PDB file of all heavy atoms in Angstrom:
ATOM      1  N   ARG A 194     -27.339 -15.636   0.589  1.00  0.00           N
ATOM      2  CA  ARG A 194     -28.167 -14.587   1.172  1.00  0.00           C
ATOM      3  C   ARG A 194     -29.595 -15.100   1.073  1.00  0.00           C
ATOM      4  O   ARG A 194     -30.181 -15.150  -0.008  1.00  0.00           O
ATOM      5  CB  ARG A 194     -28.005 -13.277   0.417  1.00  0.00           C
ATOM      6  CG  ARG A 194     -28.814 -12.130   1.005  1.00  0.00           C
ATOM      7  CD  ARG A 194     -28.600 -10.851   0.207  1.00  0.00           C
ATOM      8  NE  ARG A 194     -29.329  -9.738   0.774  1.00  0.00           N
ATOM      9  CZ  ARG A 194     -30.608  -9.465   0.494  1.00  0.00           C
ATOM     10  NH1 ARG A 194     -31.282 -10.219  -0.355  1.00  0.00           N
ATOM     11  NH2 ARG A 194     -31.207  -8.431   1.059  1.00  0.00           N
ATOM     12  N   LEU A 195     -30.136 -15.508   2.187  1.00  0.00           N
ATOM     13  CA  LEU A 195     -31.364 -16.308   2.163  1.00  0.00           C
ATOM     14  C   LEU A 195     -32.553 -15.555   1.581  1.00  0.00           C
ATOM     15  O   LEU A 195     -33.443 -16.162   0.982  1.00  0.00           O
ATOM     16  CB  LEU A 195     -31.680 -16.807   3.572  1.00  0.00           C
ATOM     17  CG  LEU A 195     -30.600 -17.738   4.162  1.00  0.00           C
ATOM     18  CD1 LEU A 195     -30.995 -18.167   5.566  1.00  0.00           C
ATOM     19  CD2 LEU A 195     -30.376 -18.953   3.279  1.00  0.00           C
ATOM     20  N   GLY A 196     -32.565 -14.249   1.719  1.00  0.00           N
ATOM     21  CA  GLY A 196     -33.679 -13.485   1.177  1.00  0.00           C
ATOM     22  C   GLY A 196     -33.761 -13.535  -0.331  1.00  0.00           C
ATOM     23  O   GLY A 196     -34.815 -13.237  -0.900  1.00  0.00           O
ATOM     24  N   SER A 197     -32.650 -13.906  -0.977  1.00  0.00           N
ATOM     25  CA  SER A 197     -32.631 -13.955  -2.445  1.00  0.00           C
ATOM     26  C   SER A 197     -32.876 -15.358  -2.983  1.00  0.00           C
ATOM     27  O   SER A 197     -32.879 -15.570  -4.192  1.00  0.00           O
ATOM     28  CB  SER A 197     -31.272 -13.471  -2.957  1.00  0.00           C
ATOM     29  OG  SER A 197     -30.257 -14.425  -2.669  1.00  0.00           O
ATOM     30  N   LEU A 198     -33.105 -16.324  -2.085  1.00  0.00           N
ATOM     31  CA  LEU A 198     -33.159 -17.725  -2.480  1.00  0.00           C
ATOM     32  C   LEU A 198     -34.607 -18.187  -2.620  1.00  0.00           C
ATOM     33  O   LEU A 198     -35.407 -18.052  -1.693  1.00  0.00           O
ATOM     34  CB  LEU A 198     -32.445 -18.566  -1.414  1.00  0.00           C
ATOM     35  CG  LEU A 198     -31.882 -19.907  -1.836  1.00  0.00           C
ATOM     36  CD1 LEU A 198     -30.761 -19.733  -2.841  1.00  0.00           C
ATOM     37  CD2 LEU A 198     -31.378 -20.654  -0.603  1.00  0.00           C
ATOM     38  N   GLU A 199     -34.941 -18.731  -3.787  1.00  0.00           N
ATOM     39  CA  GLU A 199     -36.265 -19.336  -3.949  1.00  0.00           C
ATOM     40  C   GLU A 199     -36.271 -20.757  -3.422  1.00  0.00           C
ATOM     41  O   GLU A 199     -37.224 -21.197  -2.782  1.00  0.00           O
ATOM     42  CB  GLU A 199     -36.677 -19.333  -5.424  1.00  0.00           C
ATOM     43  CG  GLU A 199     -38.089 -19.879  -5.647  1.00  0.00           C
ATOM     44  CD  GLU A 199     -38.531 -19.776  -7.097  1.00  0.00           C
ATOM     45  OE1 GLU A 199     -37.860 -19.079  -7.891  1.00  0.00           O
ATOM     46  OE2 GLU A 199     -39.555 -20.395  -7.445  1.00  0.00           O
ATOM     47  N   ARG A 200     -35.215 -21.487  -3.693  1.00  0.00           N
ATOM     48  CA  ARG A 200     -35.050 -22.854  -3.191  1.00  0.00           C
ATOM     49  C   ARG A 200     -33.560 -23.157  -3.104  1.00  0.00           C
ATOM     50  O   ARG A 200     -32.752 -22.540  -3.819  1.00  0.00           O
ATOM     51  CB  ARG A 200     -35.754 -23.865  -4.109  1.00  0.00           C
ATOM     52  CG  ARG A 200     -35.225 -23.864  -5.529  1.00  0.00           C
ATOM     53  CD  ARG A 200     -35.964 -24.866  -6.404  1.00  0.00           C
ATOM     54  NE  ARG A 200     -37.356 -24.503  -6.570  1.00  0.00           N
ATOM     55  CZ  ARG A 200     -37.804 -23.643  -7.503  1.00  0.00           C
ATOM     56  NH1 ARG A 200     -36.940 -23.044  -8.326  1.00  0.00           N
ATOM     57  NH2 ARG A 200     -39.069 -23.378  -7.610  1.00  0.00           N
ATOM     58  N   PRO A 201     -33.142 -24.096  -2.236  1.00  0.00           N
ATOM     59  CA  PRO A 201     -31.710 -24.385  -2.095  1.00  0.00           C
ATOM     60  C   PRO A 201     -31.011 -24.796  -3.388  1.00  0.00           C
ATOM     61  O   PRO A 201     -29.837 -24.465  -3.592  1.00  0.00           O
ATOM     62  CB  PRO A 201     -31.678 -25.510  -1.057  1.00  0.00           C
ATOM     63  CG  PRO A 201     -32.896 -25.268  -0.220  1.00  0.00           C
ATOM     64  CD  PRO A 201     -33.935 -24.782  -1.190  1.00  0.00           C
ATOM     65  N   SER A 202     -31.712 -25.486  -4.272  1.00  0.00           N
ATOM     66  CA  SER A 202     -31.075 -25.928  -5.514  1.00  0.00           C
ATOM     67  C   SER A 202     -30.732 -24.762  -6.442  1.00  0.00           C
ATOM     68  O   SER A 202     -30.045 -24.960  -7.451  1.00  0.00           O
ATOM     69  CB  SER A 202     -31.956 -26.944  -6.257  1.00  0.00           C
ATOM     70  OG  SER A 202     -33.184 -26.356  -6.632  1.00  0.00           O
ATOM     71  N   ASP A 203     -31.164 -23.538  -6.110  1.00  0.00           N
ATOM     72  CA  ASP A 203     -30.687 -22.369  -6.864  1.00  0.00           C
ATOM     73  C   ASP A 203     -29.161 -22.261  -6.783  1.00  0.00           C
ATOM     74  O   ASP A 203     -28.530 -21.649  -7.651  1.00  0.00           O
ATOM     75  CB  ASP A 203     -31.298 -21.079  -6.298  1.00  0.00           C
ATOM     76  CG  ASP A 203     -32.787 -20.963  -6.583  1.00  0.00           C
ATOM     77  OD1 ASP A 203     -33.310 -21.738  -7.404  1.00  0.00           O
ATOM     78  OD2 ASP A 203     -33.429 -20.087  -5.968  1.00  0.00           O
ATOM     79  N   LEU A 204     -28.581 -22.858  -5.750  1.00  0.00           N
ATOM     80  CA  LEU A 204     -27.132 -22.824  -5.583  1.00  0.00           C
ATOM     81  C   LEU A 204     -26.409 -23.744  -6.563  1.00  0.00           C
ATOM     82  O   LEU A 204     -25.179 -23.679  -6.673  1.00  0.00           O
ATOM     83  CB  LEU A 204     -26.761 -23.211  -4.151  1.00  0.00           C
ATOM     84  CG  LEU A 204     -27.069 -22.141  -3.089  1.00  0.00           C
ATOM     85  CD1 LEU A 204     -27.092 -22.749  -1.699  1.00  0.00           C
ATOM     86  CD2 LEU A 204     -26.049 -21.021  -3.157  1.00  0.00           C
ATOM     87  N   ALA A 205     -27.133 -24.586  -7.277  1.00  0.00           N
ATOM     88  CA  ALA A 205     -26.493 -25.543  -8.183  1.00  0.00           C
ATOM     89  C   ALA A 205     -25.642 -24.855  -9.236  1.00  0.00           C
ATOM     90  O   ALA A 205     -24.582 -25.365  -9.619  1.00  0.00           O
ATOM     91  CB  ALA A 205     -27.550 -26.423  -8.849  1.00  0.00           C
TER      92      ALA A 205
END
Side-chain angles (χ1 to χ4, degrees):
R194 182 180 182 274
L195 298 179
S197 71
L198 204 65
E199 183 176 348
R200 60 181 65 85
S202 62
D203 290 348
L204 287 162

